């Protein structure tokens, strides 16, 4: 059960992602969580806003890389580091 904030909205958080591979930052990776997506820039980072609290499936895809998937528990705004493997 989601606890609403003082205005009755479900509790949400902003998640920042740093996506890298063996060579460094991955530009253009697509990060998907809770029905929301973001795309990394040249430094390999992006932020997905308003992700609801709870257990979520995170997926990260990028050209020439193996898709990444993990279950994460969202309970606060945080930074998540993802390392992709080149395919």
């Amino acid at each position: 059960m989601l606890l609403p904030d003082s205005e009755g909205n479900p509790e949400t958080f902003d998640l920042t992602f740093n996506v890298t591979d063996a060579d460094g930052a991955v530009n253009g990776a697509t990060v998907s969580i809770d029905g929301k997506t973001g795309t990394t820039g040249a430094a390999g980072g992006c932020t997905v806003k308003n992700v609801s609290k709870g257990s979520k499936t995170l997926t990260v895809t990028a050209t020439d890389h193996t898709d990444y998937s993990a279950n994460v528990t969202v309970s606060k705004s945080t930074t998540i580091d993802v390392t992709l493997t080149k395919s």
Side-chain angles (χ1 to χ4, degrees):
M1 180 169 127
L2 295 177
L3 299 176
D5 64 15
S6 61
E7 297 171 358
N9 299 313
E11 196 170 3
T12 63
F13 302 96
D14 296 342
L15 303 178
T16 300
F17 296 91
N18 291 318
V19 182
T20 59
D21 64 16
D23 295 327
V26 177
N27 185 18
T30 300
V31 177
S32 301
I33 188 168
D34 197 29
K36 298 169 178 28
T37 60
T39 303
T40 61
C46 72
T47 300
V48 178
K49 296 184 177 287
N50 301 316
V51 178
S52 60
K53 185 176 185 175
S55 180
K56 307 293 175 190
T57 299
L58 164 67
T59 58
V60 181
T61 58
T63 303
D64 299 326
H65 291 80
T66 302
D67 292 352
Y68 175 92
S69 182
N71 291 321
V72 296
T73 300
V74 178
S75 61
K76 62 181 180 177
S77 293
T78 191
T79 299
I80 298 172
D81 295 320
V82 175
T83 302
L84 297 180
T85 302
K86 290 188 176 185
S87 55

